[in-house]
Amino acid sequence: MTRARVDYSDGSDFRGVGFDPDLPVAGFYRFRMRSGGALCGVRIWHGAPHDPVTGEELDRSPRWQALVNDDPVEIERVWPRCAADPITDAEYRHYCRTQTWAQQHAPDSALADPRRKADPLTTPLLF
């Protein structure tokens, strides 16, 4: 058995290796809403909430918020499970466009609703 050649006596700070699961990190992530479901994009940010009907910014205190393919979800539903797979803004927009396409052309597929389990016989293949 060999040991790692790390000198812990030099006073280095090793706390930057992981992340705090209780404190969300703003950004874009890839996530599955359920086992066997389609991949979707998640956006997490800290700010004032928006009215779900009109989309106007509400006069409330800032809080952590999350969107799954531009649909609001509770932050506890996605964080910290999505933290392991960060993506870019362009990839997030691609997941949003894919869901919009699927809602119009394949409404029964898992791509149209990320909470639905993917059926390999009915889910359209994206190349």
Side-chain angles (χ1 to χ4, degrees), residues 26-57:
F28 300 96
Y29 302 93
R30 185 181 351 253
F31 183 67
R32 289 186 198 272
M33 291 291 287
R34 65 163 292 157
S35 174
L39 285 170
C40 52
V42 176
R43 177 181 175 229
I44 295 178
W45 79 100
H46 188 265
H50 292 259
D51 188 330
V53 176
T54 63
E56 295 178 5
E57 189 173 292

PDB file of all heavy atoms in Angstrom, residues 26-57:
ATOM      1  N   ALA A  26     -24.481  30.019  -8.088  1.00  0.00           N
ATOM      2  CA  ALA A  26     -25.177  30.492  -9.279  1.00  0.00           C
ATOM      3  C   ALA A  26     -24.493  29.961 -10.529  1.00  0.00           C
ATOM      4  O   ALA A  26     -23.270  29.914 -10.609  1.00  0.00           O
ATOM      5  CB  ALA A  26     -25.205  32.015  -9.299  1.00  0.00           C
ATOM      6  N   GLY A  27     -25.306  29.548 -11.498  1.00  0.00           N
ATOM      7  CA  GLY A  27     -24.754  29.041 -12.743  1.00  0.00           C
ATOM      8  C   GLY A  27     -25.734  28.143 -13.465  1.00  0.00           C
ATOM      9  O   GLY A  27     -26.931  28.104 -13.151  1.00  0.00           O
ATOM     10  N   PHE A  28     -25.211  27.409 -14.434  1.00  0.00           N
ATOM     11  CA  PHE A  28     -26.007  26.508 -15.261  1.00  0.00           C
ATOM     12  C   PHE A  28     -25.521  25.082 -15.050  1.00  0.00           C
ATOM     13  O   PHE A  28     -24.323  24.835 -14.973  1.00  0.00           O
ATOM     14  CB  PHE A  28     -25.877  26.886 -16.738  1.00  0.00           C
ATOM     15  CG  PHE A  28     -26.348  28.291 -17.020  1.00  0.00           C
ATOM     16  CD1 PHE A  28     -25.450  29.339 -17.070  1.00  0.00           C
ATOM     17  CD2 PHE A  28     -27.687  28.546 -17.228  1.00  0.00           C
ATOM     18  CE1 PHE A  28     -25.875  30.621 -17.322  1.00  0.00           C
ATOM     19  CE2 PHE A  28     -28.123  29.833 -17.486  1.00  0.00           C
ATOM     20  CZ  PHE A  28     -27.224  30.872 -17.538  1.00  0.00           C
ATOM     21  N   TYR A  29     -26.471  24.139 -14.980  1.00  0.00           N
ATOM     22  CA  TYR A  29     -26.147  22.754 -14.682  1.00  0.00           C
ATOM     23  C   TYR A  29     -27.003  21.821 -15.540  1.00  0.00           C
ATOM     24  O   TYR A  29     -28.071  22.196 -16.021  1.00  0.00           O
ATOM     25  CB  TYR A  29     -26.398  22.444 -13.197  1.00  0.00           C
ATOM     26  CG  TYR A  29     -25.613  23.332 -12.274  1.00  0.00           C
ATOM     27  CD1 TYR A  29     -26.155  24.505 -11.778  1.00  0.00           C
ATOM     28  CD2 TYR A  29     -24.322  23.001 -11.910  1.00  0.00           C
ATOM     29  CE1 TYR A  29     -25.427  25.331 -10.938  1.00  0.00           C
ATOM     30  CE2 TYR A  29     -23.587  23.811 -11.069  1.00  0.00           C
ATOM     31  CZ  TYR A  29     -24.142  24.980 -10.588  1.00  0.00           C
ATOM     32  OH  TYR A  29     -23.422  25.787  -9.765  1.00  0.00           O
ATOM     33  N   ARG A  30     -26.540  20.574 -15.684  1.00  0.00           N
ATOM     34  CA  ARG A  30     -27.290  19.518 -16.362  1.00  0.00           C
ATOM     35  C   ARG A  30     -27.852  18.611 -15.272  1.00  0.00           C
ATOM     36  O   ARG A  30     -27.176  18.322 -14.285  1.00  0.00           O
ATOM     37  CB  ARG A  30     -26.349  18.740 -17.277  1.00  0.00           C
ATOM     38  CG  ARG A  30     -27.009  17.713 -18.118  1.00  0.00           C
ATOM     39  CD  ARG A  30     -26.022  16.938 -18.995  1.00  0.00           C
ATOM     40  NE  ARG A  30     -24.676  17.438 -19.037  1.00  0.00           N
ATOM     41  CZ  ARG A  30     -24.125  18.069 -20.083  1.00  0.00           C
ATOM     42  NH1 ARG A  30     -24.821  18.269 -21.166  1.00  0.00           N
ATOM     43  NH2 ARG A  30     -22.869  18.481 -20.034  1.00  0.00           N
ATOM     44  N   PHE A  31     -29.082  18.110 -15.469  1.00  0.00           N
ATOM     45  CA  PHE A  31     -29.761  17.405 -14.395  1.00  0.00           C
ATOM     46  C   PHE A  31     -30.865  16.512 -14.965  1.00  0.00           C
ATOM     47  O   PHE A  31     -31.433  16.808 -16.010  1.00  0.00           O
ATOM     48  CB  PHE A  31     -30.378  18.451 -13.451  1.00  0.00           C
ATOM     49  CG  PHE A  31     -31.065  17.914 -12.245  1.00  0.00           C
ATOM     50  CD1 PHE A  31     -30.359  17.281 -11.250  1.00  0.00           C
ATOM     51  CD2 PHE A  31     -32.425  18.064 -12.091  1.00  0.00           C
ATOM     52  CE1 PHE A  31     -30.996  16.801 -10.124  1.00  0.00           C
ATOM     53  CE2 PHE A  31     -33.077  17.589 -10.972  1.00  0.00           C
ATOM     54  CZ  PHE A  31     -32.355  16.961  -9.980  1.00  0.00           C
ATOM     55  N   ARG A  32     -31.165  15.417 -14.298  1.00  0.00           N
ATOM     56  CA  ARG A  32     -32.323  14.580 -14.598  1.00  0.00           C
ATOM     57  C   ARG A  32     -33.325  14.760 -13.465  1.00  0.00           C
ATOM     58  O   ARG A  32     -32.990  14.553 -12.306  1.00  0.00           O
ATOM     59  CB  ARG A  32     -31.943  13.106 -14.698  1.00  0.00           C
ATOM     60  CG  ARG A  32     -31.155  12.762 -15.919  1.00  0.00           C
ATOM     61  CD  ARG A  32     -30.956  11.242 -16.008  1.00  0.00           C
ATOM     62  NE  ARG A  32     -29.868  10.918 -16.902  1.00  0.00           N
ATOM     63  CZ  ARG A  32     -30.006  10.753 -18.202  1.00  0.00           C
ATOM     64  NH1 ARG A  32     -31.196  10.873 -18.745  1.00  0.00           N
ATOM     65  NH2 ARG A  32     -28.982  10.469 -18.956  1.00  0.00           N
ATOM     66  N   MET A  33     -34.554  15.122 -13.807  1.00  0.00           N
ATOM     67  CA  MET A  33     -35.571  15.341 -12.785  1.00  0.00           C
ATOM     68  C   MET A  33     -36.013  14.029 -12.132  1.00  0.00           C
ATOM     69  O   MET A  33     -36.543  14.046 -11.032  1.00  0.00           O
ATOM     70  CB  MET A  33     -36.797  16.038 -13.386  1.00  0.00           C
ATOM     71  CG  MET A  33     -36.557  17.457 -13.806  1.00  0.00           C
ATOM     72  SD  MET A  33     -36.299  18.563 -12.422  1.00  0.00           S
ATOM     73  CE  MET A  33     -37.932  18.679 -11.777  1.00  0.00           C
ATOM     74  N   ARG A  34     -35.822  12.923 -12.819  1.00  0.00           N
ATOM     75  CA  ARG A  34     -36.161  11.622 -12.270  1.00  0.00           C
ATOM     76  C   ARG A  34     -35.279  10.549 -12.892  1.00  0.00           C
ATOM     77  O   ARG A  34     -34.678  10.762 -13.942  1.00  0.00           O
ATOM     78  CB  ARG A  34     -37.635  11.294 -12.501  1.00  0.00           C
ATOM     79  CG  ARG A  34     -37.982  11.140 -13.961  1.00  0.00           C
ATOM     80  CD  ARG A  34     -39.287  10.445 -14.195  1.00  0.00           C
ATOM     81  NE  ARG A  34     -39.168   9.064 -13.781  1.00  0.00           N
ATOM     82  CZ  ARG A  34     -40.189   8.314 -13.447  1.00  0.00           C
ATOM     83  NH1 ARG A  34     -41.390   8.803 -13.489  1.00  0.00           N
ATOM     84  NH2 ARG A  34     -40.024   7.075 -13.087  1.00  0.00           N
ATOM     85  N   SER A  35     -35.253   9.394 -12.258  1.00  0.00           N
ATOM     86  CA  SER A  35     -34.486   8.279 -12.792  1.00  0.00           C
ATOM     87  C   SER A  35     -35.094   7.829 -14.111  1.00  0.00           C
ATOM     88  O   SER A  35     -36.293   7.620 -14.214  1.00  0.00           O
ATOM     89  CB  SER A  35     -34.515   7.129 -11.792  1.00  0.00           C
ATOM     90  OG  SER A  35     -33.910   5.997 -12.327  1.00  0.00           O
ATOM     91  N   GLY A  36     -34.276   7.700 -15.126  1.00  0.00           N
ATOM     92  CA  GLY A  36     -34.746   7.289 -16.433  1.00  0.00           C
ATOM     93  C   GLY A  36     -35.358   8.411 -17.245  1.00  0.00           C
ATOM     94  O   GLY A  36     -35.875   8.183 -18.332  1.00  0.00           O
ATOM     95  N   GLY A  37     -35.307   9.630 -16.749  1.00  0.00           N
ATOM     96  CA  GLY A  37     -35.851  10.781 -17.464  1.00  0.00           C
ATOM     97  C   GLY A  37     -34.831  11.391 -18.402  1.00  0.00           C
ATOM     98  O   GLY A  37     -33.663  11.012 -18.421  1.00  0.00           O
ATOM     99  N   ALA A  38     -35.288  12.347 -19.180  1.00  0.00           N
ATOM    100  CA  ALA A  38     -34.409  13.040 -20.121  1.00  0.00           C
ATOM    101  C   ALA A  38     -33.562  14.078 -19.387  1.00  0.00           C
ATOM    102  O   ALA A  38     -33.971  14.619 -18.356  1.00  0.00           O
ATOM    103  CB  ALA A  38     -35.243  13.716 -21.206  1.00  0.00           C
ATOM    104  N   LEU A  39     -32.389  14.349 -19.918  1.00  0.00           N
ATOM    105  CA  LEU A  39     -31.546  15.394 -19.362  1.00  0.00           C
ATOM    106  C   LEU A  39     -32.199  16.751 -19.610  1.00  0.00           C
ATOM    107  O   LEU A  39     -32.840  16.977 -20.636  1.00  0.00           O
ATOM    108  CB  LEU A  39     -30.161  15.378 -20.005  1.00  0.00           C
ATOM    109  CG  LEU A  39     -29.237  14.264 -19.563  1.00  0.00           C
ATOM    110  CD1 LEU A  39     -28.003  14.227 -20.454  1.00  0.00           C
ATOM    111  CD2 LEU A  39     -28.835  14.446 -18.118  1.00  0.00           C
ATOM    112  N   CYS A  40     -32.027  17.653 -18.670  1.00  0.00           N
ATOM    113  CA  CYS A  40     -32.562  18.998 -18.829  1.00  0.00           C
ATOM    114  C   CYS A  40     -31.547  19.992 -18.259  1.00  0.00           C
ATOM    115  O   CYS A  40     -30.616  19.617 -17.553  1.00  0.00           O
ATOM    116  CB  CYS A  40     -33.919  19.134 -18.150  1.00  0.00           C
ATOM    117  SG  CYS A  40     -33.961  18.620 -16.444  1.00  0.00           S
ATOM    118  N   GLY A  41     -31.729  21.254 -18.584  1.00  0.00           N
ATOM    119  CA  GLY A  41     -30.843  22.304 -18.104  1.00  0.00           C
ATOM    120  C   GLY A  41     -31.410  22.983 -16.873  1.00  0.00           C
ATOM    121  O   GLY A  41     -32.622  23.169 -16.754  1.00  0.00           O
ATOM    122  N   VAL A  42     -30.542  23.343 -15.946  1.00  0.00           N
ATOM    123  CA  VAL A  42     -30.932  24.015 -14.713  1.00  0.00           C
ATOM    124  C   VAL A  42     -30.187  25.330 -14.625  1.00  0.00           C
ATOM    125  O   VAL A  42     -28.974  25.383 -14.865  1.00  0.00           O
ATOM    126  CB  VAL A  42     -30.598  23.152 -13.474  1.00  0.00           C
ATOM    127  CG1 VAL A  42     -30.909  23.891 -12.191  1.00  0.00           C
ATOM    128  CG2 VAL A  42     -31.330  21.837 -13.524  1.00  0.00           C
ATOM    129  N   ARG A  43     -30.902  26.396 -14.306  1.00  0.00           N
ATOM    130  CA  ARG A  43     -30.288  27.698 -14.054  1.00  0.00           C
ATOM    131  C   ARG A  43     -30.553  28.062 -12.599  1.00  0.00           C
ATOM    132  O   ARG A  43     -31.699  28.020 -12.147  1.00  0.00           O
ATOM    133  CB  ARG A  43     -30.877  28.771 -14.952  1.00  0.00           C
ATOM    134  CG  ARG A  43     -30.318  30.138 -14.652  1.00  0.00           C
ATOM    135  CD  ARG A  43     -30.937  31.214 -15.533  1.00  0.00           C
ATOM    136  NE  ARG A  43     -30.441  32.505 -15.103  1.00  0.00           N
ATOM    137  CZ  ARG A  43     -31.217  33.562 -14.866  1.00  0.00           C
ATOM    138  NH1 ARG A  43     -32.519  33.484 -15.058  1.00  0.00           N
ATOM    139  NH2 ARG A  43     -30.694  34.688 -14.465  1.00  0.00           N
ATOM    140  N   ILE A  44     -29.501  28.419 -11.866  1.00  0.00           N
ATOM    141  CA  ILE A  44     -29.617  28.809 -10.463  1.00  0.00           C
ATOM    142  C   ILE A  44     -29.059  30.218 -10.310  1.00  0.00           C
ATOM    143  O   ILE A  44     -27.990  30.521 -10.833  1.00  0.00           O
ATOM    144  CB  ILE A  44     -28.862  27.823  -9.551  1.00  0.00           C
ATOM    145  CG1 ILE A  44     -29.526  26.452  -9.632  1.00  0.00           C
ATOM    146  CG2 ILE A  44     -28.823  28.332  -8.109  1.00  0.00           C
ATOM    147  CD1 ILE A  44     -28.845  25.388  -8.824  1.00  0.00           C
ATOM    148  N   TRP A  45     -29.802  31.084  -9.596  1.00  0.00           N
ATOM    149  CA  TRP A  45     -29.342  32.439  -9.355  1.00  0.00           C
ATOM    150  C   TRP A  45     -29.939  32.958  -8.055  1.00  0.00           C
ATOM    151  O   TRP A  45     -30.882  32.392  -7.512  1.00  0.00           O
ATOM    152  CB  TRP A  45     -29.687  33.353 -10.523  1.00  0.00           C
ATOM    153  CG  TRP A  45     -31.102  33.838 -10.556  1.00  0.00           C
ATOM    154  CD1 TRP A  45     -31.565  35.051 -10.146  1.00  0.00           C
ATOM    155  CD2 TRP A  45     -32.243  33.121 -11.012  1.00  0.00           C
ATOM    156  NE1 TRP A  45     -32.921  35.115 -10.321  1.00  0.00           N
ATOM    157  CE2 TRP A  45     -33.358  33.949 -10.853  1.00  0.00           C
ATOM    158  CE3 TRP A  45     -32.440  31.852 -11.535  1.00  0.00           C
ATOM    159  CZ2 TRP A  45     -34.645  33.551 -11.194  1.00  0.00           C
ATOM    160  CZ3 TRP A  45     -33.717  31.455 -11.872  1.00  0.00           C
ATOM    161  CH2 TRP A  45     -34.790  32.302 -11.720  1.00  0.00           C
ATOM    162  N   HIS A  46     -29.374  34.058  -7.565  1.00  0.00           N
ATOM    163  CA  HIS A  46     -29.840  34.715  -6.351  1.00  0.00           C
ATOM    164  C   HIS A  46     -30.380  36.075  -6.748  1.00  0.00           C
ATOM    165  O   HIS A  46     -29.672  36.890  -7.323  1.00  0.00           O
ATOM    166  CB  HIS A  46     -28.691  34.863  -5.345  1.00  0.00           C
ATOM    167  CG  HIS A  46     -29.128  35.355  -4.013  1.00  0.00           C
ATOM    168  ND1 HIS A  46     -29.079  36.676  -3.659  1.00  0.00           N
ATOM    169  CD2 HIS A  46     -29.647  34.693  -2.958  1.00  0.00           C
ATOM    170  CE1 HIS A  46     -29.528  36.807  -2.425  1.00  0.00           C
ATOM    171  NE2 HIS A  46     -29.876  35.622  -1.978  1.00  0.00           N
ATOM    172  N   GLY A  47     -31.661  36.307  -6.467  1.00  0.00           N
ATOM    173  CA  GLY A  47     -32.257  37.584  -6.831  1.00  0.00           C
ATOM    174  C   GLY A  47     -33.702  37.664  -6.391  1.00  0.00           C
ATOM    175  O   GLY A  47     -34.232  36.758  -5.751  1.00  0.00           O
ATOM    176  N   ALA A  48     -34.341  38.766  -6.767  1.00  0.00           N
ATOM    177  CA  ALA A  48     -35.746  38.970  -6.421  1.00  0.00           C
ATOM    178  C   ALA A  48     -36.623  38.009  -7.216  1.00  0.00           C
ATOM    179  O   ALA A  48     -36.366  37.756  -8.389  1.00  0.00           O
ATOM    180  CB  ALA A  48     -36.149  40.411  -6.708  1.00  0.00           C
ATOM    181  N   PRO A  49     -37.671  37.470  -6.584  1.00  0.00           N
ATOM    182  CA  PRO A  49     -38.545  36.541  -7.302  1.00  0.00           C
ATOM    183  C   PRO A  49     -39.400  37.267  -8.338  1.00  0.00           C
ATOM    184  O   PRO A  49     -39.620  38.470  -8.252  1.00  0.00           O
ATOM    185  CB  PRO A  49     -39.409  35.932  -6.198  1.00  0.00           C
ATOM    186  CG  PRO A  49     -39.376  36.917  -5.090  1.00  0.00           C
ATOM    187  CD  PRO A  49     -38.055  37.615  -5.189  1.00  0.00           C
ATOM    188  N   HIS A  50     -39.887  36.501  -9.317  1.00  0.00           N
ATOM    189  CA  HIS A  50     -40.737  37.038 -10.367  1.00  0.00           C
ATOM    190  C   HIS A  50     -42.151  36.483 -10.214  1.00  0.00           C
ATOM    191  O   HIS A  50     -42.340  35.362  -9.753  1.00  0.00           O
ATOM    192  CB  HIS A  50     -40.184  36.665 -11.746  1.00  0.00           C
ATOM    193  CG  HIS A  50     -38.896  37.337 -12.052  1.00  0.00           C
ATOM    194  ND1 HIS A  50     -38.797  38.437 -12.855  1.00  0.00           N
ATOM    195  CD2 HIS A  50     -37.635  37.094 -11.635  1.00  0.00           C
ATOM    196  CE1 HIS A  50     -37.547  38.829 -12.941  1.00  0.00           C
ATOM    197  NE2 HIS A  50     -36.809  38.021 -12.201  1.00  0.00           N
ATOM    198  N   ASP A  51     -43.129  37.280 -10.624  1.00  0.00           N
ATOM    199  CA  ASP A  51     -44.521  36.850 -10.604  1.00  0.00           C
ATOM    200  C   ASP A  51     -44.685  35.708 -11.601  1.00  0.00           C
ATOM    201  O   ASP A  51     -44.321  35.851 -12.768  1.00  0.00           O
ATOM    202  CB  ASP A  51     -45.426  38.021 -10.979  1.00  0.00           C
ATOM    203  CG  ASP A  51     -46.890  37.706 -10.791  1.00  0.00           C
ATOM    204  OD1 ASP A  51     -47.260  36.527 -10.933  1.00  0.00           O
ATOM    205  OD2 ASP A  51     -47.661  38.631 -10.504  1.00  0.00           O
ATOM    206  N   PRO A  52     -45.248  34.551 -11.187  1.00  0.00           N
ATOM    207  CA  PRO A  52     -45.368  33.423 -12.114  1.00  0.00           C
ATOM    208  C   PRO A  52     -46.340  33.681 -13.262  1.00  0.00           C
ATOM    209  O   PRO A  52     -46.244  33.050 -14.312  1.00  0.00           O
ATOM    210  CB  PRO A  52     -45.852  32.269 -11.233  1.00  0.00           C
ATOM    211  CG  PRO A  52     -46.339  32.887  -9.983  1.00  0.00           C
ATOM    212  CD  PRO A  52     -45.697  34.219  -9.853  1.00  0.00           C
ATOM    213  N   VAL A  53     -47.277  34.630 -13.112  1.00  0.00           N
ATOM    214  CA  VAL A  53     -48.260  34.897 -14.158  1.00  0.00           C
ATOM    215  C   VAL A  53     -47.757  35.953 -15.141  1.00  0.00           C
ATOM    216  O   VAL A  53     -47.747  35.752 -16.357  1.00  0.00           O
ATOM    217  CB  VAL A  53     -49.607  35.329 -13.536  1.00  0.00           C
ATOM    218  CG1 VAL A  53     -50.605  35.699 -14.617  1.00  0.00           C
ATOM    219  CG2 VAL A  53     -50.150  34.239 -12.630  1.00  0.00           C
ATOM    220  N   THR A  54     -47.318  37.093 -14.607  1.00  0.00           N
ATOM    221  CA  THR A  54     -46.921  38.208 -15.478  1.00  0.00           C
ATOM    222  C   THR A  54     -45.431  38.241 -15.768  1.00  0.00           C
ATOM    223  O   THR A  54     -45.010  38.858 -16.738  1.00  0.00           O
ATOM    224  CB  THR A  54     -47.321  39.552 -14.839  1.00  0.00           C
ATOM    225  OG1 THR A  54     -46.599  39.709 -13.607  1.00  0.00           O
ATOM    226  CG2 THR A  54     -48.813  39.606 -14.580  1.00  0.00           C
ATOM    227  N   GLY A  55     -44.614  37.616 -14.926  1.00  0.00           N
ATOM    228  CA  GLY A  55     -43.174  37.633 -15.120  1.00  0.00           C
ATOM    229  C   GLY A  55     -42.499  38.879 -14.585  1.00  0.00           C
ATOM    230  O   GLY A  55     -41.284  39.034 -14.704  1.00  0.00           O
ATOM    231  N   GLU A  56     -43.262  39.788 -13.965  1.00  0.00           N
ATOM    232  CA  GLU A  56     -42.685  41.011 -13.404  1.00  0.00           C
ATOM    233  C   GLU A  56     -41.944  40.698 -12.110  1.00  0.00           C
ATOM    234  O   GLU A  56     -42.313  39.799 -11.365  1.00  0.00           O
ATOM    235  CB  GLU A  56     -43.784  42.030 -13.120  1.00  0.00           C
ATOM    236  CG  GLU A  56     -44.499  42.523 -14.344  1.00  0.00           C
ATOM    237  CD  GLU A  56     -45.617  43.490 -13.998  1.00  0.00           C
ATOM    238  OE1 GLU A  56     -45.761  43.830 -12.808  1.00  0.00           O
ATOM    239  OE2 GLU A  56     -46.334  43.885 -14.916  1.00  0.00           O
ATOM    240  N   GLU A  57     -40.904  41.483 -11.854  1.00  0.00           N
ATOM    241  CA  GLU A  57     -40.130  41.303 -10.635  1.00  0.00           C
ATOM    242  C   GLU A  57     -40.954  41.772  -9.441  1.00  0.00           C
ATOM    243  O   GLU A  57     -41.518  42.860  -9.441  1.00  0.00           O
ATOM    244  CB  GLU A  57     -38.829  42.094 -10.734  1.00  0.00           C
ATOM    245  CG  GLU A  57     -37.868  41.812  -9.619  1.00  0.00           C
ATOM    246  CD  GLU A  57     -36.529  42.473  -9.835  1.00  0.00           C
ATOM    247  OE1 GLU A  57     -35.817  42.058 -10.762  1.00  0.00           O
ATOM    248  OE2 GLU A  57     -36.223  43.407  -9.074  1.00  0.00           O
TER     249      GLU A  57
END
